Amino acid sequence: MKRFVYLLSFFTLLSFALPVGFISCEPEAKKAQNRETNFTYVDFETVIRTVDKLYIDKHINVNRAYTDAASFAFLSLPHPLYIYPESYFKEREKYDDKEDLWPGTTFKISPSDKFVVFDPDYAQVEKIQKEKRKKNENRKLSDAELKKLIEKEKLKKSVISARWEEINFSRKDFDRVVTYIQDNLEKYKTPVLKGLVELDGELPDDEEEDKKEFRMEQVFVAAANGYLNSLDPHSNVFLEEVWEESMSKISDGSFEGIGAILSGGGSREVIVENPLEGSPALKAGIRSGDNIVAVDGKLIKNLSLDKVVKKIKGPKATKVVLTISRKGNTGKIDIEVIRDKITIKNVTYHLVKENPQVAYIKLTGFVKPGNGEPPIDTQIADALAEMERTAKENGKPLKAVILDLRGNSGGYLDLAVDIADMFIEKGIIVSTRTPGRSDEEKPAKIKDITKLPLAILMNSKSASASEIVASAIQHHGRGILLGERTFGKATVQTLKKLDNNPNYLLKITNARYYSPSGKTIQVVGVSPDIEVSEEADGTFPFRYREEDMWNHLPLIPHEGVVKSRFNINAIKDYAKKNGKADTYLKEHSNDAIKPDYMLIRSLDYIEGMINSKS
C-alpha cells in the first residue's frame, strides 16, 4: 500500500518557505548527488495518468494542459523559445508595452500550424533589458502600479488562453513540439540569459562547478510541470533531493553566516532589513536600514539577492567586509564582520520585553522535526511551561499568549490539527473534502495546554496550515486574530513518489479544506478581528496572495459571516485610550534593530482583550 503525505503548504517548485536573503538561516545548498537520474516521456505520461486518478477536478481542460506543457518545454531550453497562437502574435502590441516587444524571428514546425514559435534575438534583448533596468534602477512600484501590472498580465494570459482554445492544441501537437526539441536540442544548448541576470558580468567562483549537461530530462520535467501548472499553481513534480533541501530550510538547524535579513537585489538596492539579535552583524555595527554597496571590496550593483547572500555567507571565524551607505552619513562605511555559527529553530519563544506578562511563541513552519528533536506540539507546550515558570519567579505571572504565524506558509495537515487542538477544547478544527470520498472531519481531542487569553499574529504570507489554525481559533472564539488578511490557499496536496521513478516526487492537489463554519477560505483568506499594520507608517501596502496567482482554484461562495466572539469595539477603545505603541515606536525608531511594528501595536489590543468585557 502506497503511503501518501498530505500537505498544506503553498510551496512551489521554485519558491519555498524562507524568504531569500535570510543569511544566517539559509542552509548551504546541497551539492547535486552524483547518481544518475532520468525523466522520460514515459514519466510524463505517468504524471498524466496520476492526474486522471488523483486530481481534485475530474473535468480538466486537456488541450490547455498540453499547451502549457509545450510552452514550459520550450522555455526550459538554455536558449528559451516561446510558443504563441499565430492570431495573438500578430496583434501582441495591444497587450505588451513597446519595450517588452522583443525583436526576433518566428517559424512554424509545420506549415499548416496555427501557432508560431518565437526565437528572440537575445543580443538585442539584453541591450533592451539593460536600458530598462537602468531607467527603473532603485524604483519601487506603487501599489496602484503593481496592481495594474498584475491585472494587465492576467488580461494578457486570458487572451492568449482564449486564442489557444480556438486552435484546439492537442496531444499530437505537443508530440510534434517534443520531436522538434529532440531533433534540434544541440542548436539550443548554449545559454543566452546569463547577461539578463548578471549585468556586471561577474560570476560567483563556483558558478561553473558541477554543471550538468542539459538533456531531454529537463525538457520532460518542464513539460510535466507545465501540464500541472495548467491545473493550479501548487501541483508540480521535482527531484526528491529538492524536497529534502526545501524542508531543511524550515526545520531546525545550525548554519554559518553573519545573521542578517536582507531585501532587494537586482535593480534595487540591497537593504539590511534587520540584523538578528546577538548576531555577528549586530555586534559589528550593522544596523537596520543599511544599504550594502560592496562585499569584500567588490561592487554588488545589479546582482540578484541570492548571489549577494552567497558572497556574504562563509565559514565560522572567517571575515567579510561590507561596504555600506547609511542615512545621515555622507560617505561609505566599511564594516568587518566575523562570521559565526547561527542556530535557527522552527519554534522560538520568549517573554515579550515590552510586556513580560505576555508569552510569545513563533512557529515558522508546520514541518516534522528531525535530529531527535521532540514534536512541534511538545516544543510549544514545553516553551509555554518554561515561560510560565519564569514569569512566576519574576513576580509577574502570565496574562496572555501570542502565537505568531506570520510568514508561515504551511506544511503538514496533521500538524496543523495537532497545534490547533492544543488551544481548542472541543469542536471541529477542519474538514477536508475529496471527490469520490466522504468528508473527513478533524475534531479537537486533547486537553488545552492553557486557559490564558490567546492572540494570533498573521499576515499575507500566513498560508494553508497557518490558515487552518487561525480560522479554527477564530471560529471557536478561543483567541483574537491580529494583523493582515492571510494568503488564501485552502487546497490539500498529496505528495508521493512517481510510479516507476522513485527519484522524483509528485505533489498534486486532491482535496479542499474547510473551516469549522463550513466555509473554504480559498482565495479570500482569513480576515483578522483587528487589522494591525507591520509597516513603520501604519499602512497596508499591496500584498501578493492566492487571488493574484494564475489558474488558482476558484472561490466557493459561502453566505455565512464569521463574527468575532470578542467585543472588538471595546478592545479598540481601550487601546486608543491606554495604548503605548505610538510612543514606544517613536522612541525606538532609530534602533539598530528596528521594532517589530505589528507586535508592538498588537500589545495594546491584547491588553484591551484582557481588560475589556466580551
Side-chain angles (χ1 to χ4, degrees), residues 6 71 88 95 109 129 142 147 242 251 254 322 361 375 426 458 462 471 507 510 561:
Y6 294 98
S71 178
Y88 172 83
Y95 308 101
I109 297 175
Q129 291 295 82
S142 67
K147 288 178 183 177
V242 172
S251 300
S254 297
L322 304 183
I361 301 171
K426 61 181 179 179
M458 59 194 202
S462 305
S471 62
K507 183 159 68 75
N510 72 318
V561 177

Side-chain angles (χ1 to χ4, degrees), residues 119-164:
D119 184 0
D121 180 344
Y122 282 107
Q124 292 301 313
V125 169
E126 184 172 340
K127 292 178 182 178
I128 293 169
Q129 291 295 82
K130 280 184 178 180
E131 286 301 314
K132 187 174 181 180
R133 287 192 178 205
K134 192 173 181 180
K135 185 174 71 174
N136 295 318
E137 188 172 359
N138 295 327
R139 178 175 176 267
K140 187 176 181 180
L141 294 177
S142 67
D143 284 359
E145 288 174 318
L146 192 55
K147 288 178 183 177
K148 186 177 179 181
L149 194 64
I150 290 174
E151 289 306 314
K152 185 177 180 180
E153 187 64 20
K154 283 183 177 178
L155 173 63
K156 175 181 173 180
K157 287 181 176 178
S158 65
V159 172
I160 292 175
S161 182
R163 299 295 173 85
W164 279 122

Side-chain angles (χ1 to χ4, degrees), residues 276-477:
L276 303 181
E277 191 77 52
S279 66
L282 185 64
K283 292 174 183 176
I286 300 292
R287 300 170 60 91
S288 169
D290 283 348
N291 170 23
I292 300 177
V293 177
V295 178
D296 287 332
K298 294 184 178 180
L299 293 177
I300 60 168
K301 185 178 181 180
N302 292 322
L303 280 185
S304 59
L305 187 59
D306 61 327
K307 297 290 193 302
V308 177
V309 168
K310 200 178 267 188
K311 287 177 177 290
I312 295 175
K313 288 167 63 176
K316 177 181 178 180
T318 60
K319 72 175 182 180
V320 60
V321 178
L322 304 183
T323 302
I324 66 166
S325 64
R326 180 178 290 168
K327 288 180 181 177
N329 291 63
T330 54
K332 304 290 190 292
I333 308 169
D334 286 336
I335 298 180
E336 182 180 295
V337 186
I338 305 299
R339 302 177 178 103
D340 202 352
K341 184 177 181 180
I342 313 291
T343 301
I344 180 175
K345 292 287 185 182
N346 191 30
V347 177
T348 55
Y349 60 94
H350 56 80
L351 295 174
V352 177
K353 183 171 63 174
E354 296 76 18
N355 186 343
Q357 289 187 284
V358 177
Y360 173 91
I361 301 171
K362 169 76 173 176
L363 179 62
T364 59
F366 292 81
V367 295
K368 297 178 180 180
N371 302 322
E373 288 284 329
I376 290 178
D377 52 351
T378 301
Q379 292 183 47
I380 291 175
D382 291 345
L384 183 56
E386 181 183 326
M387 288 187 285
E388 284 181 321
R389 287 194 300 271
T390 303
K392 193 173 182 180
E393 290 168 1
N394 294 338
K396 294 184 176 181
L398 292 184
K399 288 185 176 180
V401 178
I402 293 173
L403 179 60
D404 189 349
L405 298 177
R406 289 176 293 173
N408 186 322
S409 59
Y412 292 98
L413 172 62
D414 57 339
L415 294 183
V417 174
D418 290 346
I419 290 166
D421 198 359
M422 299 174 74
F423 301 99
I424 296 170
E425 188 172 352
K426 61 181 179 179
I428 300 300
I429 292 172
V430 67
S431 60
T432 57
R433 298 179 188 175
T434 306
R437 293 170 55 182
S438 56
D439 295 355
E440 186 176 356
E441 294 183 338
K442 303 286 186 179
K445 297 177 180 179
I446 63 174
K447 184 180 178 181
D448 291 1
I449 62 169
T450 181
K451 297 295 183 183
L452 288 170
L454 175 67
I456 302 289
L457 299 188
M458 59 194 202
N459 63 9
S460 61
K461 294 179 182 177
S462 305
S464 295
S466 292
E467 294 173 294
I468 282 180
V469 173
S471 62
I473 294 293
Q474 186 178 55
H475 175 83
H476 292 290

Side-chain angles (χ1 to χ4, degrees), residues 88-102:
Y88 172 83
F89 191 81
K90 287 179 178 178
E91 57 180 33
R92 61 191 176 119
E93 67 278 357
K94 292 182 181 179
Y95 308 101
D96 280 310
D97 293 332
K98 188 175 181 180
E99 58 189 2
D100 294 326
L101 293 172
W102 291 355

Side-chain angles (χ1 to χ4, degrees), residues 115 193 248 349 511:
F115 59 88
L193 292 177
S248 73
Y349 60 94

